[in-house]
Amino acid sequence: MSIKQKTIKQDSITLSGRGLHTGVEANLTFKPAPENYGYRFKRTDLEGQPEVKAVTENVVDTSRSTAIEEKGARIGTIEHVMSALYALGIDNITIEIDAPETPILDGSAAQFAKAILDAGIVDQEAEKQYFDLREKYKFSNPEKGVEIVAFPDDSLSLNVMVDYNSAALAQQFASFDTADGDYCKDIAPSKTFVFASELAYLAQNNLIKGGTIDSALVIIDRDFPQAELDKIADLLNRPHVDGKGQGILNAQDLIFSNEPARHKLLDLMGDLALSGMNIRGKIIATRPGHASNVEFAKLIRADIKKQQKNPKAYFDLSKPAIIDINRIKQLMPHRYPFLLVDKIIEMSKNDIVGVKNITFNEPQFMGHFPDEPVMPGVLLIEAMAQCGGILVLNNVDEPEHYSTYFAKIDKVKFKNKVVPGDTLVFHLEFTEPIRRGMVMMKGQTFVNGYVVCEGEFVAMVTKNR
């Protein structure tokens, strides 16, 4: 079953608040967007209302949050918005904003997630695009003890460990699997956090002007004299609070015992959204931060762009045959040297995947470019037809009593040579349901994941005499 792209149903929904670092009041509005549009921020306060695509190429700052910029239009602290959109499966959306930074709200993604759900999520016509990790990806920064590793998996799952070598914040772990996890309950409410020892520096450097004790967990990471805590509060123009040793100053606001780790996971998901596609894989991150998250997302985005330019298919050739050569011989009338399918490794009601190993000992190479053997194109077409014939016979009762005869071949293209040593993978699928014995299908032949031949077929299935 195909999964469709998604956007929001409601025409618009708005959230308002101050930016964490700028302190500027911002109105952020979610609006539906067409298929294949992606995530785009629109600065409505600037002349021409320029749009900024939320992709890794546009990241300009990761020092304290993730900021993007395109053609002079900049939006800061986008990670909480992006995390909510990505986790809830939104593919296409316009995010209008009238300030240079998104509102921090309560320091989590909960209000963004609620707004998206309140707006409603609707399917679009186009299919959702996934990037399946087929190999190991790794980014590391040994100096900072950062490592992010990803492995193939059927869904996106995140595992995060944080360790700041601080008695005030012990080593913590958090995990989340998009296949069965509840993002709105388990991840979105986790707040951002800051060490108290950093507050004076941040304030003196014209940052966190929009931060409050309600928008972040403040971790007392060393013994602070009350006078020093009062000074920090004055710098932030905030009420004085009592400090009682190391720990979380506003611990009463903790929702989870491992809330800092969960928030780092929230941030990681938001930064991964900048890859521009739905990722399926298992990601394990040790001490992640915005800089490492974005660098990791860049690795994945580079492969996404490469695949979009030259699509590659993946087939697990280690799978055991579900139809072996002996059964194929029972179904098909062909024999050496014209039986051109060795085994079937996948099959459903609508499609089939077959395999053929090419060796130099096959008779066609004696006369077809004998000094530089090349598989004849007509045999590639015949091999696809035979594989398609097996698919057809799988849809009839007593298939041994039927044969498939191809009546038309159209839109055939040869894209690369096939030579001895190649393993051919055939993928055939119906383009229309079988009607009155008439079959319509399209087929592709792959070598090393790349198409070498393709075409469309029309055939008739008839009972043997």
Side-chain angles (χ1 to χ4, degrees):
M1 183 181 69
S2 64
I3 300 175
K4 300 297 185 180
Q5 293 183 21
K6 292 175 171 55
T7 189
I8 59 171
K9 182 177 182 180
Q10 192 169 316
D11 286 343
S12 67
I13 189 163
T14 301
L15 299 97
S16 302
R18 300 175 71 188
L20 172 61
H21 295 299
T22 62
V24 175
E25 286 289 335
N27 298 297
L28 182 146
T29 302
F30 292 120
K31 290 191 172 182
E35 297 167 355
N36 303 311
Y37 183 87
Y39 304 137
R40 301 187 196 183
F41 287 82
K42 179 186 285 189
R43 281 289 301 274
T44 57
D45 59 318
L46 299 181
E47 184 179 354
Q49 299 190 2
E51 289 185 346
V52 184
K53 294 179 181 177
V55 289
T56 56
E57 297 95 307
N58 289 333
V59 175
V60 291
D61 189 11
T62 55
S63 55
R64 288 286 171 175
S65 61
T66 301
I68 56 175
E69 184 176 335
E70 189 173 0
K71 297 178 181 177
R74 179 177 175 128
I75 303 98
T77 316
I78 66 168
E79 59 271 14
H80 300 171
V81 178
M82 296 291 290
S83 182
L85 292 168
Y86 201 58
L88 295 176
I90 301 296
D91 299 281
N92 307 298
I93 197 163
T94 297
I95 307 121
E96 293 187 350
I97 186 167
D98 59 1
E101 187 181 21
T102 68
I104 188 61
L105 303 177
D106 68 349
S108 77
Q111 293 182 54
F112 295 117
K114 182 180 184 302
I116 294 163
L117 293 176
D118 287 347
I121 300 173
V122 294
D123 285 349
Q124 299 176 283
E125 288 299 318
E127 289 191 12
K128 188 182 284 284
Q129 297 180 351
Y130 288 97
F131 182 73
D132 293 305
L133 304 186
R134 298 292 183 177
E135 58 190 39
K136 179 181 176 181
Y137 287 78
K138 181 178 179 180
F139 172 83
S140 63
N141 183 335
E143 290 183 5
K144 295 185 176 181
V146 174
E147 182 175 271
I148 304 178
V149 185
F151 305 92
D153 206 351
D154 295 332
S155 63
L156 174 62
S157 63
L158 306 173
N159 298 266
V160 169
M161 186 276 280
V162 296
D163 184 0
Y164 291 93
N165 298 316
S166 169
L169 180 59
Q171 188 181 79
Q172 291 188 354
F173 298 87
S175 62
F176 181 74
D177 191 328
T178 58
D180 53 20
D182 187 339
Y183 174 84
C184 293
K185 177 184 176 183
D186 298 329
I187 303 298
S190 57
K191 289 186 178 183
T192 190
F193 60 96
V194 64
F195 290 102
S197 59
E198 299 178 297
L199 290 175
Y201 169 84
L202 294 170
Q204 289 164 359
N205 283 271
N206 210 29
L207 297 171
I208 61 169
K209 290 189 289 187
T212 72
I213 199 71
D214 298 319
S215 60
L217 300 175
V218 179
I219 299 170
I220 307 296
D221 51 334
R222 61 177 173 82
D223 292 330
F224 279 86
Q226 186 62 46
E228 191 172 348
L229 278 178
D230 293 344
K231 184 178 179 181
I232 291 172
D234 292 338
L235 279 170
L236 297 171
N237 194 26
R238 300 292 178 262
H240 292 183
V241 293
D242 291 330
K244 299 176 181 178
Q246 295 187 358
I248 297 178
L249 186 63
N250 45 346
Q252 71 278 4
D253 294 334
L254 268 178
I255 300 174
F256 310 104
S257 60
N258 63 339
E259 191 159 341
R262 294 191 192 217
H263 188 82
K264 283 295 184 181
L265 191 153
L266 181 157
D267 283 345
L268 175 59
M269 182 170 285
D271 290 332
L272 284 176
L274 296 167
S275 65
M277 194 173 286
N278 300 282
I279 299 168
R280 286 192 287 215
K282 184 181 184 67
I283 298 174
I284 302 171
T286 302
R287 301 187 68 177
H290 293 299
S292 58
N293 296 347
V294 170
E295 289 303 314
F296 183 77
K298 285 179 179 178
L299 293 177
I300 294 178
R301 180 151 177 82
D303 275 2
I304 288 173
K305 293 173 75 173
K306 188 185 302 181
Q307 182 172 303
Q308 288 174 334
K309 187 177 292 185
N310 190 15
K312 184 176 183 179
Y314 292 89
F315 301 97
D316 185 359
L317 299 182
S318 66
K319 286 183 177 180
I322 59 173
I323 299 180
D324 63 14
I325 189 63
N326 293 319
R327 178 57 177 161
I328 290 173
K329 286 164 63 177
Q330 293 173 355
L331 294 171
M332 306 291 289
H334 309 79
R335 293 295 181 269
Y336 177 86
F338 234 67
L339 181 53
L340 300 174
V341 182
D342 292 338
K343 63 179 179 179
I344 303 300
I345 59 172
E346 295 179 20
M347 185 164 59
S348 70
K349 282 288 184 182
N350 296 309
D351 73 332
I352 190 169
V353 177
V355 177
K356 164 69 175 171
N357 296 297
I358 305 298
T359 72
F360 179 71
N361 297 320
E362 297 180 39
Q364 62 266 23
F365 295 126
M366 295 177 60
H368 195 258
F369 295 92
D371 295 329
E372 188 180 347
V374 177
M375 183 79 168
V378 292
L379 292 186
L380 294 176
I381 296 170
E382 172 64 23
M384 281 194 289
Q386 290 183 18
C387 194
I390 297 171
L391 175 61
V392 172
L393 295 175
N394 183 58
N395 281 268
V396 300
D397 296 328
E398 299 182 332
E400 296 87 352
H401 301 306
Y402 289 83
S403 293
T404 306
Y405 297 95
F406 281 80
K408 181 181 178 182
I409 303 170
D410 198 10
K411 297 181 181 179
V412 172
K413 294 180 182 178
F414 299 101
K415 299 190 173 184
N416 213 337
K417 293 189 298 184
V418 174
V419 299
D422 284 342
T423 297
L424 303 181
V425 179
F426 312 111
H427 180 231
L428 281 291
E429 60 182 331
F430 292 135
T431 56
E432 298 285 346
I434 298 176
R435 294 189 180 94
R436 298 180 181 179
M438 181 68 72
V439 181
M440 301 179 70
M441 63 178 67
K442 63 180 180 181
Q444 292 179 306
T445 301
F446 299 85
V447 172
N448 296 325
Y450 294 102
V451 177
V452 295
C453 179
E454 62 185 6
E456 296 179 358
F457 302 83
V458 178
M460 290 290 296
V461 57
T462 62
K463 197 165 187 177
N464 298 330
R465 295 179 180 176

